[in-house]
Amino acid sequence: MALRTLSGGVPAATGRGGSAGEPRAGAGSRRAARQPRRKLPSWVPVDRLAVLLPLARRMRPHYPRPGRQGFRRWIPSWRQLMGSLLITVGLVTTGLALVYWRTEIPEDLNSFATQQDNVYYWDDGTVMARTGWVRRQEMPLEEVPEDVRWAVLAAENASFYEDPGISPSGITRAVTRMLGGGETQGGSTITQQYVKNAYLNQDQTFSRKFTEMMLALKVDNKFSKDEILEGYLNTSWFGRGTYGIQRASQAYYGKEVSELNASEGAFLASLLKGAGLYDPALGGGNRERAVERWEWTLDRMVEIGRLSPAERAKYTKFPEPTEVTGGRTDLSGQQGYLVELAKSYVTRSGKVSDAEFDLGGYQVYTTFNKTRTEALDKAVHTARAKLDPKKREEDTFVRTGAATVGADGKILALYGGPGFLKQGFNESNAVTVPAGSAFTPFVYAAALSEGVMRERQGPRVPVTPSTPYDGRHNASLMTPEGPYWDRDGKVVKGQNDGGKSWGEAITLREAMVNSVNMPFLQLGMDVGLDRVRRHAVNAGLLPSSMGPQKPAFSLGTSTPSAIRMATAYGTFAAKGKHTEPYSVLRVTRNGQKVPLPAVRSTQALSADVARKVTEALEGVMEEGTGATARVPGVRAAGKTGTTQDNKAAWFVGYTEQEATAVVLYRMDLRKLDLMPLDRVAGADAGTLGSRLPADIWRDYTEGRTKGAARP
């Protein structure tokens, strides 16, 4: 084959018997029909293409890799890996640069600066309370003491003045949590937190986190560090409805932020992690967490060189914040407890954060009845007037909780204590007081539903109200295998109140009417304590309040709140149908409905079992231990409740429409230890429990039905 050169210098082949570019003779019509080859433009370096094109063909990735067998064909070479990595890095860098370039800092801050009151309504639609905690006051950074500033930085972002506005390690943690299915949170710098507070929402999503980081870089480049820190301190949420460190200083210490010291600043810094966990006024272990965080923050200030060891040594006593005060709240008396209960329901069930709720604008329509609330408050005050702590030491630390819950689950009224502004602890919702013998109706209901088993591997035997049981004092507790032995090898014996024996055979109804302990102690063992527990929970008691499953379980070692006891007895009133208690009918925010879970009921007990329990409890009020609570003209059922150590007294009564539980106990809230009720209100020595709960129920029922038509 002869060679010739194109105008660009590329060799071209010429066939035998003809010139280049012309088909050979006899090539046939198909070759003759081919289009003539286009010439390359004169500016194309054809000689270089001749070298580069083969090289490009060799560099072109061959995947799966030729010349390999099996799975090895799919393993990329190091050249392919490096090439892919470089391309990926380039694309990501370019993408991030483009996003950063297109990110703009919003001109306006979030709506917290235009917050509104939250309004609560009684069940009849009239206004119950307005809460207006949320206020924000701009405070120049120079007015914030340097020690207070560094307390915040030590707790939140010690490298604030050196970082670029974001934390690479924090970003890594956020991405890791996201990939692991967790929330994309944690590790944010002060700048990121300020961006989130001032420009974004509180959603924990990857897109929001990514936007937060881009904005943080922009903000860090546009504003000085001091400007960012000032904005952060003025927009952060500190609890008690306050935004900004100036309002927080007023809410927790009643003074200007300029008057704070490093110790007080360290406490306020702890609130940035969540006031719901660190505000001591909210109870629930908050004070212990706050003290631990306060100590850590001061130590951290020493570690980063912003507080001398000598100064640190001065701060050994925790700077106790003041009680919840300030703002136009209408939280005096019982209304504060009602508001807090309703708010808790909205934030929990409506999935509204505390910070969002405190921005305001919510209209909360509650289930609370004003007439019942006032009547219950009056009845409790009348009973407590019989206490005289100045003359009788036994009358000190006496506490009362009460609640009325409708058969349909609506919380209609409660008594939470002497007043929310005096005591934030809600005694109607306390879970520290044993139910005592007020728990026995659940044992009775379980027996009527399940029957009993007295022989090992034997059949379960039905139980009726007339079934006889041993009512003797100190009778041995029996199991299918024989006597029940304790860990010390002693036979466990049941004891009746006052040591009274009721004979070897007393019917279950008679035992309920007269509050005889021994039959129900044995009945619980015969039914099975696990079954008793299940029926109590199905009726409305919380699993977390259940006592240990030992024989005494049947006599009320569980610690339900008054709200839950009223709910569970309301299941009997509702013919066995249970509805979880709720305090809010509906919620709107500036006219827009806030979704709440639908109210649902379950058939916890058969209507027949509920009827038999009610018949026995009606006997309690007609002829038994609850006779002092009887109200003429009102058909009601109820049960007294005492504990063997005499540290609690209950009365729970109900009609067809609602149930009310009243509990009386002695407790020093600083120690959280129950004390005996002996001689409370001048009772005789040896008197078990107290008559005050039954008196409260009677006076309350009379007060709210006075003037109304009676059957």
Side-chain angles (χ1 to χ4, degrees):
M1 181 188 304
L3 296 177
R4 71 178 182 84
T5 303
L6 292 173
S7 60
V10 179
T14 58
R16 279 179 285 178
S19 62
E22 297 183 72
R24 288 177 299 172
S29 60
R30 185 163 59 90
R31 182 177 294 275
R34 288 181 177 175
Q35 297 293 327
R37 182 177 296 171
R38 296 178 61 184
K39 277 191 173 185
L40 295 173
S42 60
W43 52 268
V44 176
V46 180
D47 54 337
R48 295 182 184 177
L49 285 177
V51 177
L52 292 177
L53 288 176
L55 179 62
R57 282 194 297 270
R58 287 196 301 271
M59 292 182 64
R60 186 182 63 194
H62 296 281
Y63 198 79
R65 298 174 65 187
R68 302 290 193 276
Q69 299 296 324
F71 72 92
R72 292 182 178 86
R73 299 176 61 228
W74 301 96
I75 300 177
S77 68
W78 69 269
R79 291 187 181 88
Q80 291 171 331
L81 288 174
M82 289 300 297
S84 300
L85 178 62
L86 291 174
I87 292 172
T88 301
V89 171
L91 290 175
V92 171
T93 303
T94 303
L96 290 175
L98 180 62
V99 172
Y100 176 82
W101 175 68
R102 297 190 63 180
T103 299
E104 296 183 359
I105 300 174
E107 296 181 0
D108 299 322
L109 299 179
N110 276 333
S111 60
F112 67 86
T114 58
Q115 69 283 353
Q116 306 170 62
D117 286 351
N118 290 322
V119 185
Y120 297 81
Y121 300 88
W122 294 105
D123 63 350
D124 63 359
T126 59
V127 174
M128 179 178 74
R130 294 177 182 271
T131 58
W133 282 100
V134 180
R135 298 184 305 280
R136 184 177 68 88
Q137 180 180 338
E138 292 284 351
M139 182 58 58
L141 188 63
E142 56 265 24
E143 293 295 324
V144 181
E146 188 171 355
D147 282 346
V148 176
R149 293 184 233 168
W150 276 105
V152 171
L153 293 175
E156 293 293 307
N157 184 191
S159 62
F160 169 73
Y161 280 100
E162 290 78 36
D163 65 44
I166 62 173
S167 167
S169 61
I171 294 172
T172 302
R173 284 195 300 272
V175 172
T176 302
R177 287 176 64 87
M178 181 202 68
L179 295 177
E183 295 179 337
T184 57
Q185 60 182 9
S188 296
T189 64
I190 289 282
T191 307
Q192 287 177 261
Q193 293 181 52
Y194 170 61
V195 164
K196 179 176 64 176
N197 293 340
Y199 302 113
L200 304 175
N201 57 41
Q202 302 297 317
D203 292 343
Q204 298 293 346
T205 61
F206 183 83
S207 61
R208 205 276 299 152
K209 193 75 175 179
F210 184 79
T211 304
E212 171 191 302
M213 292 186 291
M214 291 296 104
L215 275 175
L217 290 170
K218 280 274 188 175
V219 168
D220 192 77
N221 286 332
K222 182 176 181 179
F223 301 101
S224 70
K225 289 291 188 178
D226 282 349
E227 288 176 317
I228 295 171
L229 181 58
E230 178 180 301
Y232 173 74
L233 293 176
N234 282 323
T235 58
S236 294
W237 184 65
F238 287 84
R240 295 194 182 181
T242 60
Y243 278 87
I245 198 165
Q246 166 70 354
R247 289 299 190 188
S249 178
Q250 294 170 343
Y252 289 92
Y253 292 110
K255 56 186 176 183
E256 300 295 302
V257 66
S258 59
E259 300 171 1
L260 295 176
N261 58 34
S263 178
E264 294 162 335
F267 166 71
L268 292 182
S270 70
L271 299 172
L272 295 168
K273 287 295 183 185
L277 295 174
Y278 294 97
D279 184 355
L282 300 179
N286 280 20
R287 189 181 185 281
E288 289 76 13
R289 283 190 290 269
V291 171
E292 182 180 357
R293 183 72 178 176
W294 165 76
E295 291 177 337
W296 178 87
T297 301
L298 291 175
D299 293 339
R300 178 68 171 152
M301 291 178 69
V302 174
E303 182 182 335
I304 64 176
R306 293 297 171 175
L307 188 68
S308 69
E311 283 291 319
R312 172 65 181 92
K314 295 179 181 179
Y315 302 127
T316 58
K317 185 177 180 181
F318 179 66
E320 294 286 353
T322 60
E323 294 183 358
V324 181
T325 57
R328 181 167 58 85
T329 62
D330 296 339
L331 298 183
S332 60
Q334 299 305 306
Q335 290 183 182
Y337 302 114
L338 301 177
V339 165
E340 284 300 298
L341 193 65
K343 176 186 174 182
S344 175
Y345 186 86
V346 172
T347 55
R348 183 183 69 255
S349 300
K351 297 182 180 179
V352 178
S353 70
D354 288 335
E356 287 180 302
F357 192 82
D358 279 343
L359 290 176
Y362 289 89
Q363 298 80 44
V364 182
Y365 298 86
T366 75
T367 61
F368 305 129
N369 182 273
K370 185 176 182 180
T371 301
R372 286 176 171 80
T373 299
E374 292 175 346
L376 184 57
D377 184 61
K378 182 179 179 180
V380 173
H381 277 85
T382 299
R384 292 185 62 85
K386 301 173 184 177
L387 302 174
D388 193 347
K390 294 181 179 179
K391 292 183 178 180
R392 290 185 297 268
E393 183 181 355
E394 294 85 356
D395 288 354
T396 58
F397 303 119
V398 176
R399 306 190 179 279
T400 310
T404 298
V405 179
D408 57 359
K410 295 177 183 175
I411 302 176
L412 301 174
L414 59 81
Y415 180 89
F420 183 76
L421 297 181
K422 295 180 181 179
Q423 174 190 295
F425 178 68
N426 185 350
E427 291 164 358
S428 72
N429 208 23
V431 288
T432 55
V433 185
S437 53
F439 187 83
T440 55
F442 306 114
V443 182
Y444 188 41
L448 294 172
S449 301
E450 302 275 355
V452 297
M453 188 169 68
R454 294 171 177 168
E455 298 179 2
R456 188 174 184 180
Q457 304 300 327
R460 299 193 73 85
V461 179
V463 167
T464 69
S466 59
T467 299
Y469 261 78
D470 193 341
R472 292 174 298 170
H473 179 66
N474 274 337
S476 297
L477 189 64
M478 304 299 292
T479 70
E481 291 80 14
Y484 182 87
W485 305 83
D486 63 16
R487 292 183 178 180
D488 297 327
K490 296 180 180 179
V491 176
V492 176
K493 297 184 178 182
Q495 296 181 339
N496 294 326
D497 292 346
K500 182 178 179 179
S501 289
W502 294 81
E504 294 185 10
I506 181 175
T507 68
L508 289 177
R509 183 186 182 281
E510 290 174 329
M512 181 66 71
V513 169
N514 294 285
S515 196
V516 185
N517 292 339
M518 181 58 205
F520 291 102
L521 190 64
Q522 183 64 59
L523 184 64
M525 297 294 291
D526 293 346
V527 174
L529 298 181
D530 56 335
R531 296 172 186 248
V532 172
R533 181 186 188 277
R534 186 175 70 249
H535 278 76
V537 170
N538 289 344
L541 301 189
L542 292 176
S544 58
S545 70
M546 292 290 100
Q549 289 188 198
K550 298 179 180 180
F553 177 76
S554 297
L555 297 183
T557 58
S558 301
T559 57
S561 66
I563 292 175
R564 282 290 170 171
M565 281 293 275
T567 299
Y569 272 64
T571 300
F572 302 139
K575 298 180 175 57
K577 186 174 291 186
H578 166 65
T579 306
E580 277 292 286
Y582 62 102
S583 57
V584 176
L585 297 170
R586 67 183 188 279
V587 182
T588 58
R589 188 177 194 189
N590 297 327
Q592 297 296 316
K593 185 177 180 180
V594 176
L596 294 175
V599 177
R600 293 185 174 88
S601 300
T602 58
Q603 195 70 38
L605 302 168
S606 70
D608 182 61
V609 168
R611 177 183 59 80
K612 290 175 180 177
V613 173
T614 297
E615 288 175 350
L617 297 183
E618 286 176 343
V620 171
M621 297 193 69
E622 289 296 327
E623 55 189 285
T625 56
T628 59
R630 186 170 63 247
V631 177
V634 176
R635 184 177 180 180
K639 181 70 179 70
T640 55
T642 56
T643 59
Q644 289 183 322
D645 53 12
N646 200 29
K647 291 184 178 180
W650 289 81
F651 188 83
V652 190
Y654 62 94
T655 63
E656 290 183 355
Q657 293 77 35
E658 63 195 44
T660 300
V662 183
V663 60
L664 189 85
Y665 62 102
R666 289 183 68 207
M667 178 185 286
D668 183 346
L669 293 181
R670 295 170 297 182
K671 299 179 181 179
L672 298 180
D673 289 329
L674 290 170
M675 296 180 284
L677 294 174
D678 301 338
R679 297 181 182 274
V680 165
D684 295 333
T687 300
L688 192 62
S690 172
R691 288 184 52 178
L692 293 184
D695 292 345
I696 291 171
W697 193 92
R698 182 195 63 237
D699 293 345
Y700 166 57
T701 304
E702 286 181 340
R704 68 178 180 78
T705 58
K706 191 175 182 180
R710 295 177 179 174

